[in-house]
Amino acid sequence: MTTATPYDVAAAVDRLVAVPGGRRSTQEEPTGQREARRPPQADVLRLMGESRFRFLRCKGDPYAVPLDGPAIAVPLRAKAHSATGSLRQQLTARYVREQRNTPSQTAMADAIAALDALTLDAPDTDLWLRVAPDPDDREVIWLDLGRPDGQSVRIAPDGWTVTYPDIEKGPIWRRSKLVGELPLPVRPVGGWRNGIAAFAELLPFTEATLPLAVAWVLAALRPDMPRPIAYLTGEQGTGKSTSGRMLVGLVDGMGATLRTAPENLRDLGVPAAAGWTLAFDNLSGVPSWLSDALCRVVTGDSQVTRALYSDDDVSLLVYQRPVLLTGIDVGVLRNDLAERMMPLELQPITKRRTAGALWGAYERAHPEILGALLDLAVAVWADLPAAAADLTHRPRMADFAELLHALDRVTGWQGLQTFYGAQDNLVDAVLDGQPVTAALRDWVASPMFPAGGWTGTMTELLNILTARVGPGVDRWPRTAAVLSQRLRETAPALRARGIDITPPTSNKNGRNYSINAASTAA
């Protein structure tokens, strides 16, 4: 890290005198000695900021990075922040230590306002939360350990090291109160398999789903990558909440928590922008708005909100996050969400431990587990190009499928096959969750379905299906328009089961749809 020249109060005073309009007194005292009056607090604070920090803007908001400290950006306008402190807090601490005096709130506000104005022409720079690409080498990835000293992990094709990002050329971290501290990773004795064995001992994943859980954590170490939503499921008493906290904690620290489902989009957007992982506990259902929002979080989303204390300015929240859900049954799934989900089955716990013993074991094993995951990350990243060329079929989450295929090649596991099977099961979950699609599937499979396919209006189709199921079916479409919407939403799942609905054609009898039984089914 670079070191700035120490701040010299006397030099600051001379600079104030040299400036036209400087306020240093030049009047002689009766003793003949010149009084060196202290410069205004706001000017000293401003000079401290200019000499100790470099300034930048990220999406229009001003930040400061200490020249003699870690590559962690602090916001100019915030009054309080994470453990690294806001600029206001850091300047106050420096002023008290060096001037043996407490600056006034007015002086601090004036100094911050002046520094804010001076950053208007500062370069727009990317700030990174938890993981970042190297600015000079796209094959290198950085992991922020969340430590006050700024130590990070550099993951390169030739290995990983714990070091400090270059203050000028390396990534600059953005911190929030949701960025927890990770332990210093340790290479497990005997190789990564021993570290993964400790991982498997703590989290009760089935043998088939353990590779998927490892792959999800590896995907969480890559910036700007769409990742499937990890859905921890199992019968009551399988430790879903505890396992979810542990899985998220591997990349977000011991303090990582699971939240209740948000009630609106803003409640979702704020923690998604401030934290790296987004985890919700004990879901019993996913409303339509949340289903759509989670799909966008996986692939990348942004929200525009009103800026604090402003009527005519906005704040931009941008995020693409690893998402984790827990629950016994999340209820009816929409097809677009199902295609982005990855169920992780937990097996019943046969030997229970107290919470203190379990979390103590987790804390002791965390450094080696993280080291094993980093060892795997190095090997998997190196094999990704060859694995991508070797992969013949790609599902909706194509990037993750390539990563999982590379992980299988490195470890000898069969994770990709398990992933495809889980995706196939979710197709049935989507169809079974909608009464109308379940009825359509039964009709197509019955002798009553025309051998050459069916053609007719959506109203005629609604009448046929309603006659088959009878009255009083919950969530049954009341109109042809609702039926059309339901079929459009589930069309990919129906097609995967051999039912192809073609777009309507218009004739004198109305808008006719065609339904055919495809020759092959997934």
Side-chain angles (χ1 to χ4, degrees), residues 300-379:
D301 194 16
S302 63
Q303 285 188 32
V304 177
T305 63
R306 183 174 65 85
L308 194 62
Y309 308 124
S310 172
D311 292 327
D312 57 357
D313 198 4
V314 297
S315 293
L316 181 63
L317 307 178
V318 181
Y319 44 82
Q320 183 182 39
R321 299 288 180 258
V323 181
L324 180 142
L325 310 176
T326 76
I328 296 177
D329 183 6
V330 295
V332 178
L333 288 176
R334 298 180 63 172
N335 189 76
D336 51 355
L337 180 63
E339 289 182 334
R340 293 169 171 85
M341 289 186 68
M342 180 175 65
L344 299 178
E345 187 76 22
L346 297 173
Q347 56 190 343
I349 301 173
T350 57
K351 185 179 179 181
R352 294 192 177 274
R353 289 181 277 185
T354 64
L358 180 62
W359 283 104
Y362 177 81
E363 185 174 4
R364 291 189 297 271
H366 196 166
E368 282 200 355
I369 294 175
L370 183 56
L373 290 168
L374 292 172
D375 285 344
L376 277 177
V378 170

Side-chain angles (χ1 to χ4, degrees), residues 136-362:
D136 295 328
D137 189 347
R138 301 300 292 184
E139 293 185 357
V140 174
I141 293 173
W142 289 83
L143 169 67
D144 180 15
L145 294 176
R147 299 168 62 88
D149 60 6
Q151 284 193 91
S152 305
V153 180
R154 182 180 184 271
I155 310 171
D158 58 349
W160 60 269
T161 55
V162 178
T163 184
Y164 297 93
D166 187 278
I167 194 69
E168 295 292 339
K169 298 180 180 180
I172 301 175
W173 299 118
R174 177 172 65 88
R175 295 274 181 86
S176 76
K177 294 178 181 179
L178 298 182
V179 178
E181 184 173 336
L182 291 169
L184 292 174
V186 175
R187 289 179 172 85
V189 178
W192 61 264
R193 292 188 185 275
N194 288 340
I196 297 302
F199 173 80
E201 184 179 349
L202 287 166
L203 288 86
F205 290 111
T206 65
E207 184 178 354
T209 57
L210 176 64
L212 302 184
V214 172
W216 184 82
V217 178
L218 294 183
L221 297 178
R222 294 184 67 86
D224 302 327
M225 176 182 177
R227 315 158 189 88
I229 297 171
Y231 170 43
L232 272 62
T233 184
E235 64 185 55
Q236 185 177 356
T238 52
K240 294 181 289 296
S241 298
T242 299
S243 298
R245 284 184 59 196
M246 288 184 172
L247 194 61
V248 170
L250 290 175
V251 291
D252 249 354
M254 285 283 292
T257 60
L258 308 185
R259 303 176 182 86
T260 58
E263 295 183 357
N264 52 60
L265 194 58
R266 180 174 178 81
D267 288 346
L268 173 71
V270 173
W276 180 236
T277 57
L278 194 64
F280 299 121
D281 191 26
N282 200 25
L283 264 69
S284 58
V286 183
S288 297
W289 74 266
L290 182 57
S291 177
D292 292 340
L294 290 176
C295 291
R296 296 194 300 270
V297 171
V298 167
T299 55
D301 194 16
S302 63
Q303 285 188 32
V304 177
T305 63
R306 183 174 65 85
L308 194 62
Y309 308 124
S310 172
D311 292 327
D312 57 357
D313 198 4
V314 297
S315 293
L316 181 63
L317 307 178
V318 181
Y319 44 82
Q320 183 182 39
R321 299 288 180 258
V323 181
L324 180 142
L325 310 176
T326 76
I328 296 177
D329 183 6
V330 295
V332 178
L333 288 176
R334 298 180 63 172
N335 189 76
D336 51 355
L337 180 63
E339 289 182 334
R340 293 169 171 85
M341 289 186 68
M342 180 175 65
L344 299 178
E345 187 76 22
L346 297 173
Q347 56 190 343
I349 301 173
T350 57
K351 185 179 179 181
R352 294 192 177 274
R353 289 181 277 185
T354 64
L358 180 62
W359 283 104
Y362 177 81

